Amino acid sequence: MSEIKPTDTAATNAGEEKDWAASKYFSDSLKTKKPRPPKPQNAVTIAVSSRTLFNMVEERKIYEEEGVEKYMAHMNQQKRENEPLMPGVAFPLVKALMTVNSRLRQLYPDSEELFDIVLMTNNHAQVGVRLINSINHYDLTIERFCMTGGQSPIGYLKAYMTNLYLSKDGEKVTEAIKEGIAAATMFTSGDVENQLSDTQLKVAFDGDAVLFSDESEIIVKQCGLDMFFEHEQEFENIPLKQGPLKCFLEALGKLQRKFYAKNERMTCPIRTYLVTARSAASSGARVLKTLRSWGLEIDEALFLAGAPKGPLLQKIRPHIFFDDQMFHIEGAKELGTIAAHVPYGIGQKYHKGELIEQTVKDVKDKK
Amino acid sequence: MDSMVRNPDVKQRDAAQAVVVAVSSDAIFDPEVEQVHGATEPLRKGDAFSFMKAIQVVNERLLTMNSDETLLFDVILLSNDSEEKHSRIIASAKHYGLDIGRFCFCNKEDSIESLQSNKVKLFLSTDTKDVCKALQKGVPAALLFRQTDPHHQTEDQLKVVFSGDVIGSSEEMLHGLREQGFTETQLQGFKTAKGSVKEFAVLMGEMRRRFGLEGSPLCTGLMTVWSSRDVCASALKTLRGWGLLVDEAFCMAGAPRSPILNLVQPHILCLDGLYHMEGFTAMS
């Protein structure tokens, strides 16, 4: 089975093997006998920010309105430290990832091809105690974390071999994508947790500029739909270039195949969806052929031919839906879907089909 | 027997109040340089250079805030070099304008004694063996992290990272290490190391508190390499109890530490003794 991550010769050096061996002793000596986190190079690493994992809306308000010192004073009040934070928008996703992990561990007890969830936060380390207490409260399998005390997390994402980064901060997400890391900005949604499956992880992807590059989207925006259909049919057999989330779909596919190998296709706890504005007849073939050329499967491909995505997503109820266009994100959110924006490609320069005026970047009013 | 030379170009600190740090001359000046008899040019810069510059920044900021500040870094250059090199070392320090208060020349065998008699709060070396030896003798010591990536090197902020696997582990857990093959001497060594880390952590905590959350010339961090998140949380609380509120925290839980350390690029890495103790090779 091919690797989920590129093998790095540096990663196999003796020092790291020693550390790895040592962690076994520290983990075995734990009374709780929790399963050991996998080696990062074998795992599918998902980095979540503190604000996506937990609901920190009130705290964020204090930070933005009163500054970092008041925010820290608020967070560090002794009584607050043991108060568990409320679940955030990525919480259902994290629970679903944990479910997949337990199923994988049952079938492959010695394998490290698992999800590894890392907490990646800009927060000052002193908030760490409260975050860890909350993680303990919900019994989440988050063993690794990185609190950068204000520094950008981008370098750390690479250092942790991150496959997917989720944050509420669009700027950080954009930076991550520029650095070649799959990333998306999450938005607060309504209380959907109760309606989501707790036995199957469902991930929905938009096609253009998410799984695929924005090359075709550029044609739509610049030349119109008719040109787009013509182009797609002419180039039907030429695979599209890959987009920022292609590798994440690939990683999901590899884990899915582990279930198929054990005859668990019908009860596979991972299901993937393509939700695209393309239409099946005129521009769908190229998409399916591209996926096939990459050796990737997607469980359900839904071609909307321009119809709104919201109602369909409402039926699917994914734990996360990735799209590059805010218009679709908003539509999804309105009907309760957990949506994550992928700030990539030409779609960022448009809003509802209209070109956004180029604005000069103003000095930010907060760092 | 050592010979102590005061640096006339640097204002002497109040050693009782200052954070006295001894740095080996091999770290400040490149020891690979050929020894040419009678050579007088300044020695080449060594691994500790950005550390020396960063310390200067911290001292300057402290003095700007309070000209009577006594909680400053006070650097002793510790040299085991031959006598003919002594004046060249002093001249080189002057050439680079290094904030070195005193030069201590002694034999290698007498180094530990010199450190102890000068009540050094921290001994820094790039050699992990030297650091461990010092720790075992009860001299607080830490590793001068070799900054490999010039792009990440900071000279305007001093970065100190504490390792937390021992600090955060309970007595019970450390006791359990006996079953993993550690001897009583080694376990005692960890206790000693933990004690000396505490002393330095208290000083760093006090110094850190002089500055605000943002824009501080001193940045502190915690890293646990092997342990679970609970040990990391416990280490955070222990450090907090000692008065040190770290800025950054990393919990590796077995993941490789070099990528993170190479990114953080600490100047000082306070080992809690566990890593490089000889007995540990029994584990791998």
Side-chain angles (χ1 to χ4, degrees), chain A residues 16 19-20 22 25-26 29 40 69 72 81 124-126 136 140 142-147 149 155-156 160, chain B residues 173 180 213 226-227 229-230 233 237 240 245-257 260 263 274 280:
Chain A
E16 288 182 7
D19 282 344
W20 180 246
Y25 288 98
F26 276 78
S29 60
E69 306 268 354
M72 288 302 295
E81 205 163 76
H124 204 261
Q126 295 313 308
N136 282 342
L140 303 177
I142 299 177
E143 290 301 328
R144 298 184 168 129
F145 47 84
C146 175
M147 294 171 190
Y156 297 103
Y160 274 87
Chain B
M173 266 197 79
Q180 314 291 9
L213 277 168
W226 306 319
S227 317
R229 64 178 187 245
D230 292 322
K237 287 194 224 171
R240 187 171 70 189
L245 300 171
V246 291
D247 298 284
E248 307 173 327
F250 307 96
C251 180
M252 308 308 300
R257 59 181 133 131
I260 301 290
L263 203 58
L274 200 55
F280 184 57

Side-chain angles (χ1 to χ4, degrees), chain B residues 55-260:
Chain B
I55 264 193
Q56 249 160 282
V57 172
V58 176
N59 278 352
E60 274 158 29
R61 282 279 298 269
L62 286 167
L63 287 167
T64 311
M65 295 190 311
N66 172 11
S67 52
D68 295 323
E69 178 65 76
T70 50
L71 186 69
L72 299 166
F73 283 107
D74 179 16
V75 179
I76 297 177
L77 180 152
L78 181 70
S79 155
N80 302 134
D81 299 279
S82 58
E83 211 176 314
E84 54 190 11
K85 208 175 166 187
H86 292 186
S87 51
R88 197 166 168 208
I89 287 174
I90 297 174
S92 300
K94 180 177 179 156
H95 172 85
Y96 293 111
L98 295 178
D99 191 359
I100 294 172
R102 293 166 279 169
F103 301 91
C104 176
F105 300 105
C106 67
N107 294 324
K108 195 151 175 91
E109 313 83 64
D110 300 327
S111 290
I112 299 283
E113 215 187 293
S114 290
L115 293 170
Q116 286 165 331
S117 62
N118 285 294
K119 298 207 179 59
V120 156
K121 297 289 193 313
L122 192 72
F123 166 56
L124 286 175
S125 170
T126 46
D127 186 332
T128 44
K129 282 203 198 70
D130 282 349
V131 172
C132 284
K133 227 183 347 183
L135 280 172
Q136 277 166 330
K137 293 274 171 71
V139 174
L143 195 64
L144 252 171
F145 186 73
R146 259 201 187 92
Q147 305 215 342
T148 48
D149 188 348
H151 297 295
H152 281 137
Q153 244 172 31
T154 48
E155 290 190 353
D156 52 10
Q157 187 185 53
L158 181 69
K159 301 194 85 166
V160 183
V161 170
F162 292 83
S163 79
D165 294 278
V166 171
I167 295 173
S169 291
S170 64
E171 282 298 317
E172 210 187 316
M173 266 197 79
L174 292 175
H175 229 62
L177 289 176
R178 206 175 275 117
E179 281 140 53
Q180 314 291 9
F182 283 96
T183 65
E184 276 308 314
T185 326
Q186 283 160 348
L187 292 176
Q188 190 51 46
F190 301 153
K191 280 215 180 90
T192 320
K194 184 171 174 177
S196 43
V197 165
K198 175 177 177 180
E199 231 194 296
F200 185 63
V202 168
L203 288 169
M204 285 299 96
E206 226 187 297
M207 209 183 251
R208 181 68 187 83
R209 273 200 299 282
R210 301 275 203 267
F211 307 103
L213 277 168
E214 294 183 324
S216 165
L218 172 64
C219 175
T220 55
L222 167 73
M223 179 183 277
T224 55
V225 178
W226 306 319
S227 317
S228 69
R229 64 178 187 245
D230 292 322
V231 171
C232 195
S234 176
L236 280 170
K237 287 194 224 171
T238 302
L239 288 174
R240 187 171 70 189
W242 295 344
L244 174 59
L245 300 171
V246 291
D247 298 284
E248 307 173 327
F250 307 96
C251 180
M252 308 308 300
R257 59 181 133 131
S258 334
I260 301 290

Side-chain angles (χ1 to χ4, degrees), chain A residues 180-367:
Chain A
I181 303 167
T185 319
M186 297 194 81
F187 296 88
T188 326
S189 63
D191 176 29
V192 280
E193 202 185 327
N194 297 331
Q195 304 162 33
L196 298 174
S197 168
D198 56 3
T199 53
Q200 186 181 60
L201 167 70
K202 294 185 184 181
V203 184
F205 299 87
D206 171 34
D208 296 283
V210 174
L211 289 178
F212 314 112
S213 75
D214 66 341
E215 58 192 272
S216 299
E217 231 169 277
I218 291 174
I219 298 173
V220 175
K221 297 284 195 279
Q222 292 177 351
C223 312
L225 267 178
D226 289 332
M227 200 54 161
F228 167 71
F229 292 141
E230 251 184 67
H231 182 270
E232 290 306 284
Q233 280 173 1
E234 196 188 324
F235 285 80
E236 195 179 288
N237 294 307
I238 315 279
L240 291 156
K241 295 197 200 61
Q242 65 184 42
L245 272 288
K246 178 249 183 183
C247 289
F248 182 60
L249 174 66
E250 193 167 18
L252 290 177
K254 284 186 166 92
L255 293 180
Q256 280 178 308
R257 283 202 289 283
K258 297 187 74 155
F259 289 96
Y260 305 162
K262 297 266 183 173
N263 264 329
E264 301 251 346
R265 189 183 272 267
M266 296 313 283
T267 51
C268 181
I270 301 173
R271 194 162 180 82
T272 55
Y273 302 80
L274 172 69
V275 180
T276 173
R278 284 185 182 233
S279 90
S282 54
S283 50
R286 191 177 184 197
V287 155
L288 296 173
K289 289 186 180 184
T290 301
L291 286 172
R292 198 182 306 148
S293 77
W294 290 344
L296 296 189
E297 280 182 31
I298 202 146
D299 295 301
E300 285 183 46
L302 303 147
F303 297 94
L304 290 162
K309 298 187 181 184
L312 186 65
L313 287 165
Q314 201 183 22
K315 289 213 174 59
I316 295 172
R317 298 207 190 112
H319 292 90
I320 190 164
F321 162 59
F322 297 101
D323 200 302
D324 67 306
Q325 306 207 47
M326 279 309 296
F327 169 63
H328 289 303
I329 297 289
E330 269 146 27
K333 266 177 64 192
E334 261 162 47
L335 295 178
T337 295
I338 301 175
H341 179 231
V342 182
Y344 166 80
I346 193 143
Q348 310 321 305
K349 301 200 178 73
Y350 286 80
H351 182 64
K352 291 189 177 157
E354 299 288 316
L355 183 65
I356 301 170
E357 297 272 324
Q358 286 289 339
T359 49
V360 174
K361 252 197 166 170
D362 295 319
V363 172
K364 300 182 196 42
D365 50 5
K366 64 168 165 57
K367 287 241 173 68

